[in-house]
Amino acid sequence: MIRNFSEFLGNSENIKFLIDKIITKTIPNAFLFYGPEGIGKRNLSFVIAASLNCLNRSKDSAEPCGECVNCKRIFNNSFPDVTFITRDEDRTTISIEQVRNLKKEAYRTLYEGLYKIFIIDDTKELKDSANALLKLIEEPPDNTLFILLTSNLMKQLPTILSRCQVLKFQKLSRTEIESFLKTTDPKLLEDERIINFLAGGSPGEIIKLSSSYIKLIEESVINSIGYVRENSYYQILKETNKITSPTPKKLPFLREDKIEDDNIKENKATIKNSREFLLNWFLIMQMLLRDLVFFMKKYPDNLMFFKHLNNNEMDKLIKGTDLDKLLQLILKIEEFRSAVEKNANRELIFLNFVIEMKSIFT
Ligand SMILES: [Zn+2]
């Protein structure tokens, strides 16, 4: 997790704007940050909260120290004056009860902090909770800041929008990716495909898939690295058969006992043929490699698809790998994918891929 403004990659205009608001003490009642998932809106909210509550911050800087008791507790999400609210899993938005509780919290005096912050995550469709929230944002108690996070601005009521300072966050721009590559692997600067990939891959293609299907492939992709590392060639051959049979009956690299049966059944029905499956498998493998690159370079906020993995899990995956090789493999998969599209022998393609993996994941 990034703990100060200067470490953020991308969206530099917004970062500058926020720093200025903090230094000049012109913080509005509410911010609404919108933009795609996985670009650090949530993390940034915690940096703002730390900045406004830091005990060591100098007047001419917005950077929280990261060391004082307030900073530490805020970054652990255990500070009583900074509240993070997200919708319950079975709901599409935060509930009216959550807003009512929030109201109670907002009107009590500060516990230990200097500024009360409410970070409201994933406010896609506020519906009935919108009015309650609106009143609160209109007449907030002193030293209170609401930060609403959303990936979809269209669904926000105009009345909410008009009362928030709205900041749009974007995926990394081309220039940002280029300056990232300059510090990592300048020879890839010429490669259009790698730039596109690092900028966000092809989420469009992935969004079309169901989330439980993606979850299965994700798990399979992660497990495959373990198999390659363990040199379980017999296992890999067995798994290759699964991938290349006309309609995969079993999914490769998955411990099926770990996944609920319904899930497997439902997804087997989704997999029409192994060609399509392998294409998706490669795509998600590319996403994993992409995220590993950013994790390795200490930009955890730019993780897109594997941000649910914790640091230990990510460390395990990158152990012994090398940045250059990871980037090269992303490109090679592109070639493998186009070979699959052209109906080349899938078994051969997959075995070739395993050999490539073997040279990276040792
Ligand atoms: Zn501090």
Side-chain angles (χ1 to χ4, degrees):
M1 189 185 197
I2 287 177
R3 294 178 176 214
N4 57 53
F5 291 107
S6 62
E7 284 173 20
F8 270 91
L9 182 68
N11 292 293
S12 50
E13 288 296 309
N14 288 345
I15 304 289
K16 251 188 256 162
F17 177 84
L18 290 166
I19 290 175
D20 181 65
K21 288 279 159 199
I22 292 172
I23 295 177
T24 58
K25 294 185 176 162
T26 48
I27 301 281
N29 298 341
F31 282 120
L32 189 145
F33 295 165
Y34 88 99
E37 284 284 320
I39 49 171
K41 301 189 294 288
R42 196 172 313 167
N43 193 176
L44 185 62
S45 309
F46 279 93
V47 174
I48 296 169
S51 175
L52 292 172
N53 280 293
C54 176
L55 301 171
N56 294 331
R57 183 168 63 85
S58 64
K59 276 182 187 160
D60 53 356
S61 162
E63 295 292 20
C65 75
E67 298 292 324
C68 70
V69 55
N70 286 7
C71 280
K72 278 189 175 151
R73 292 179 70 193
I74 288 168
F75 287 120
N76 286 330
N77 196 13
S78 63
F79 192 67
D81 292 310
V82 175
T83 311
F84 179 74
I85 300 148
T86 189
R87 67 187 162 85
D88 295 333
E89 275 204 2
D90 54 340
R91 297 182 63 100
T92 55
T93 184
I94 57 167
S95 67
I96 193 145
E97 289 78 16
Q98 282 176 302
V99 178
R100 279 194 198 120
N101 286 335
L102 195 151
K103 196 169 176 181
K104 263 187 238 156
E105 280 294 296
Y107 282 99
R108 61 155 181 76
T109 49
L110 283 158
Y111 282 118
E112 295 166 40
L114 311 168
Y115 225 100
K116 221 180 293 172
I117 323 270
F118 295 95
I119 303 164
I120 306 170
D121 189 28
D122 203 11
T123 47
K124 273 194 197 93
E125 290 173 80
L126 288 165
K127 290 182 186 157
D128 42 348
S129 42
N131 276 335
L133 190 63
L134 191 63
K135 276 182 204 138
L136 199 55
I137 295 174
E138 267 181 333
E139 298 160 23
D142 290 343
N143 293 336
T144 303
L145 169 67
F146 295 92
I147 306 177
L148 281 62
L149 311 178
T150 184
S151 54
N152 191 344
L153 197 61
M154 299 301 283
K155 297 206 168 141
Q156 300 302 326
L157 295 178
T159 42
I160 294 262
L161 285 183
S162 66
R163 281 159 184 86
C164 293
Q165 175 88 58
V166 178
L167 292 185
K168 181 184 178 189
F169 287 78
Q170 284 165 320
K171 279 190 226 156
L172 296 179
S173 70
R174 201 192 164 78
T175 343
E176 285 157 351
I177 293 289
E178 282 170 354
S179 62
F180 171 76
L181 280 177
K182 259 179 219 151
T183 63
T184 56
D185 201 338
K187 56 184 186 299
L188 288 177
L189 275 169
E190 299 298 310
D191 201 308
E192 200 62 26
R193 292 167 306 167
I194 200 90
I195 291 175
N196 287 336
F197 228 96
L198 293 177
S202 331
E205 281 177 67
I206 289 183
I207 283 164
K208 282 185 248 156
L209 308 172
S210 82
S211 62
S212 57
Y213 181 47
I214 293 175
K215 210 174 137 239
L216 288 182
I217 302 184
E218 276 180 5
E219 202 166 326
S220 157
V221 157
I222 291 171
N223 290 348
S224 72
I225 293 177
Y227 281 121
V228 168
R229 281 212 166 107
E230 288 160 14
N231 281 321
S232 320
Y233 288 117
Y234 170 70
Q235 194 64 34
I236 287 170
L237 284 175
K238 238 173 80 189
E239 301 290 337
T240 308
N241 278 331
K242 289 184 194 170
I243 245 177
T244 52
S245 70
T247 309
K249 301 267 181 324
K250 291 188 175 214
L251 304 180
F253 303 116
L254 276 183
R255 293 207 29 208
E256 300 200 5
D257 54 318
K258 277 185 145 186
I259 301 157
E260 314 92 89
D261 284 347
D262 283 353
N263 218 349
I264 290 274
K265 268 185 233 143
E266 179 202 319
N267 283 288
K268 274 189 188 151
T270 323
I271 301 166
K272 289 183 198 74
N273 59 60
S274 71
R275 181 170 166 271
E276 180 198 289
F277 178 79
L278 190 53
L279 285 172
N280 289 325
W281 197 92
F282 275 142
L283 190 60
I284 288 176
M285 176 55 95
Q286 281 180 307
M287 291 301 174
L288 175 64
L289 298 172
R290 174 202 179 273
D291 281 1
L292 292 180
V293 166
F294 280 110
F295 181 80
M296 214 175 215
K297 292 303 290 178
K298 309 253 179 304
Y299 288 113
D301 264 4
N302 292 93
L303 265 53
M304 285 191 79
F305 289 89
F306 291 86
K307 58 184 172 200
H308 54 281
L309 298 183
N310 63 36
N311 284 355
N312 274 346
E313 292 168 316
M314 290 297 271
D315 275 332
K316 243 193 202 163
L317 290 171
I318 59 168
K319 201 174 149 227
T321 60
D322 152 307
L323 186 80
D324 187 50
K325 285 182 177 166
L326 286 177
L327 290 165
Q328 296 296 347
L329 188 58
I330 294 178
L331 291 179
K332 286 221 175 92
I333 295 179
E334 206 52 38
E335 288 161 27
F336 290 138
R337 273 171 51 84
S338 85
V340 176
E341 268 164 5
K342 288 176 192 140
N343 280 327
N345 184 316
R346 288 192 281 280
E347 199 158 356
L348 264 181
I349 295 171
F350 194 72
L351 281 176
N352 269 318
F353 172 71
V354 170
I355 293 166
E356 294 290 346
M357 265 176 96
K358 187 65 209 158
S359 68
I360 295 175
F361 299 102
T362 50

